Amino acid sequence: MATSIDRSAVQAAENVWLMAQRQLDEVATLIGLSDAIHLYLRQPKRVLEVSVPVRMDEGRFSMFTGFRVQHNMSRGPAKGGIRFHPDVTLDEVKALAMWMTWKCALVNIPFGGAKGGVICDPKAMSMQELEHLTRRFTSEISIIIGPEKDIPAPDVYTTPQIMAWIMDTYSMQKGYSIPGVVTGKPIAIGGSLGRDKATARGCLYVTNEAMKVRNIPIEGARVAIQGFGNAGMHAAELMAEDGYTICAVSDSRGGVANAKGLDVRGLVAHKQETGSVVGFGGGEKISNKDVLEYDCEVLVPAALEKVITAENAPRIRAKIIAEAANGPTLPEADAILHDRGIMVLPDILANAGGVTVSYFEWVQDLQENFWEEDEINARLKHKMTRAFRETYEQATRHNVHMRTGAYAVAVNRVAEATKLRGLYP
Ligand code: GLU
């Protein structure tokens, strides 16, 4: 075909954008995607890079760089979070935007994919500095966001408070309140019940389905979780409530493990008090990396990209890996895990609960009519379970791993919309 997609595995291992393109290339052949649509989907629709000047607390002025990437809008407005992290790059944001396109298509919500990021260290910034940064970044990207165009949400190190500032800044510019411009907001200003735990809850629902398929009893099944932010912490809580035993957890500073199970409530309290799981009394010390190889039935990578590699994949002991993080597994590792019979629930499936309830939030905002939490969780369960079944069906039919199965469902949906709309002009 006409693309120059023959890139080395080494390059892909170092660059998430090449990795995302390579995942698409793999499925393109499998589903017989036309060259034209394949080429079209390999690139983002729109990339915006902005400079964000911020007055810091001691009067000094700092310049930050931020991005908003819209990968595809064939199925509806673009949707995706904004991350604040020192290691953000444009290539990373492009990959994350592409993954949002597939994720929204997989759970069949009427959105395309986008992502934003600002290169900054939010842990080293005061609340006031974060507010200034958020407001100026929002203002800079306001030329392409909006409730009918592109709707941001939380991601790594961005919170409901930050979403509130985005909503306020955008609304102040327009002259009236526009809650539908962003999701993951506090309930008091148009947020949705259940959104805070939605990523973890969706992850739990699909893990439960995988446990059924693999015939592993949930009661007492051991879980290791890397990352203890919004996704990882709530996953620990919800999985413990459902009967799983949480044996190992970690965050960026380190981890704690106990083969007999950790007291999740105590752990959450410790994290909220000290900012880390490190130093929690109920277990022994373990590194953030070693958590991945901990003896367990279910491994939940819930932190950052590229942590499961060809190097550590042979040592992973879990039977099921539920990717609460985006992009934790490199393509080489995918193949190794598949050969070893380990079922990977790919990010676009396992963490799609977040954007699914974001969609519910957006619908509620537009209708100015808010739903009960039970109804939200039931709708979420329905969407997640259906996406799991469709993924499993494609993976089984083509004899491929679950990521490729999920891509087959998602890419086909986006391709169909693209084809129907045709090429303008
Ligand atoms: N940042 C989340 C994700 O990666 C949520 C995106 C959203 O709710 O729009 O899926």
Side-chain angles (χ1 to χ4, degrees):
M1 68 169 291
T3 47
S4 56
I5 51 185
D6 226 355
R7 307 190 201 246
S8 77
V10 179
Q11 255 185 316
E14 285 164 2
N15 184 311
V16 276
W17 171 235
L18 297 183
M19 166 175 152
Q21 287 187 315
R22 187 170 149 193
Q23 291 166 342
L24 171 65
D25 298 340
E26 264 177 45
V27 81
T29 318
L30 183 79
I31 62 174
L33 201 63
S34 75
D35 280 4
I37 292 195
H38 183 190
L39 276 176
Y40 183 87
L41 295 178
R42 284 187 102 245
Q43 299 302 333
K45 175 183 175 65
R46 203 173 271 147
V47 172
L48 178 64
E49 175 174 330
V50 294
S51 298
V52 190
V54 176
R55 194 168 298 108
M56 307 302 273
D57 287 349
E58 66 284 18
R60 173 171 64 85
F61 155 99
S62 273
M63 200 62 154
F64 295 87
T65 301
F67 310 99
R68 185 74 184 168
V69 174
Q70 297 169 341
H71 172 257
N72 187 280
M73 295 181 164
S74 297
R75 303 179 72 255
K79 184 85 189 79
I82 292 173
R83 67 172 56 178
F84 285 179
H85 195 277
D87 300 333
V88 164
T89 63
L90 175 57
D91 271 354
E92 179 193 37
V93 179
K94 280 161 71 176
L96 290 160
M98 185 192 257
W99 289 331
M100 287 309 302
T101 301
W102 313 140
K103 196 183 298 184
C104 294
L106 180 62
V107 287
N108 213 356
I109 54 179
F111 287 140
K115 201 79 174 198
V118 179
I119 308 167
C120 64
D121 182 3
K123 288 186 180 171
M125 293 171 72
S126 69
M127 280 295 268
Q128 185 167 283
E129 289 168 343
L130 271 178
E131 178 175 354
H132 287 160
L133 174 74
T134 304
R135 287 188 182 278
R136 183 60 187 248
F137 177 64
T138 305
S139 170
E140 295 297 340
I141 65 167
S142 66
I143 52 172
I144 59 167
I145 65 168
E148 62 298 297
K149 290 195 283 193
D150 179 358
I151 305 115
D155 197 76
V156 174
Y157 295 150
T158 49
T159 58
Q161 175 62 72
I162 290 174
M163 301 306 113
W165 293 326
I166 294 177
M167 181 272 203
D168 185 69
T169 303
Y170 187 84
S171 299
M172 294 309 277
Q173 284 189 349
K174 301 285 167 184
Y176 59 100
S177 290
I178 307 176
V181 67
V182 68
T183 59
K185 298 178 294 294
I187 307 291
I189 55 165
S192 175
L193 293 170
R195 176 62 185 86
D196 53 346
K197 293 190 179 170
T199 308
R201 196 177 288 282
C203 187
L204 170 73
Y205 291 151
V206 292
T207 303
N208 286 349
E209 292 301 310
M211 296 289 275
K212 269 189 237 162
V213 163
R214 283 288 157 104
N215 264 319
I216 310 171
I218 289 174
E219 198 54 49
R222 296 161 304 162
V223 181
I225 304 177
Q226 186 196 50
F228 215 65
N230 176 273
M233 185 178 83
H234 289 135
E237 287 175 319
L238 294 174
M239 292 180 96
E241 270 170 36
D242 245 31
Y244 292 87
T245 303
I246 313 302
C247 291
V249 301
S250 68
D251 57 33
S252 60
R253 294 185 212 166
V256 54
N258 183 339
K260 295 202 181 77
L262 294 158
D263 162 28
V264 172
R265 244 185 237 171
L267 193 59
V268 170
H270 182 83
K271 170 89 182 180
Q272 276 159 354
E273 258 164 52
T274 66
S276 175
V277 297
V278 172
F280 177 63
E284 66 269 12
K285 246 171 96 175
I286 185 171
S287 77
N288 191 16
K289 246 179 139 220
D290 288 345
V291 166
L292 299 169
E293 295 168 33
Y294 199 79
D295 193 11
C296 61
E297 277 69 49
V298 182
L299 170 64
V300 184
L304 293 169
E305 299 97 83
K306 300 190 290 182
V307 294
I308 302 179
T309 64
E311 197 264 320
N312 64 7
R315 295 194 301 271
I316 285 180
R317 289 188 268 182
K319 299 185 179 76
I320 292 168
I321 301 179
E323 295 184 339
N326 288 308
T329 309
L330 291 173
E332 292 73 23
D334 263 333
I336 296 169
L337 297 168
H338 184 57
D339 287 346
R340 294 186 55 217
I342 297 170
M343 184 189 261
V344 177
L345 302 173
D347 46 9
I348 62 167
L349 173 66
N351 71 34
V355 74
T356 301
V357 177
S358 274
Y359 165 59
F360 299 157
E361 178 174 335
W362 178 77
V363 169
Q364 293 171 82
D365 287 339
L366 298 189
Q367 295 180 341
E368 298 174 332
N369 176 15
F370 289 86
W371 314 341
E372 297 299 330
E373 185 160 0
D374 286 355
E375 185 182 349
I376 289 160
N377 292 342
R379 284 177 187 256
L380 173 64
K381 187 171 191 175
H382 179 78
K383 285 217 161 279
M384 296 303 299
T385 312
R386 172 174 290 193
F388 175 88
R389 291 210 189 109
E390 288 172 335
T391 297
Y392 188 66
E393 195 269 319
Q394 285 293 311
T396 314
R397 181 188 310 173
H398 296 294
N399 192 22
V400 290
H401 52 63
M402 291 284 279
R403 188 179 321 279
T404 307
Y407 268 60
V409 178
V411 175
N412 263 323
R413 280 196 184 127
V414 179
E416 187 192 357
T418 307
K419 224 184 323 178
L420 284 166
R421 289 181 61 160
L423 188 61
Y424 172 89

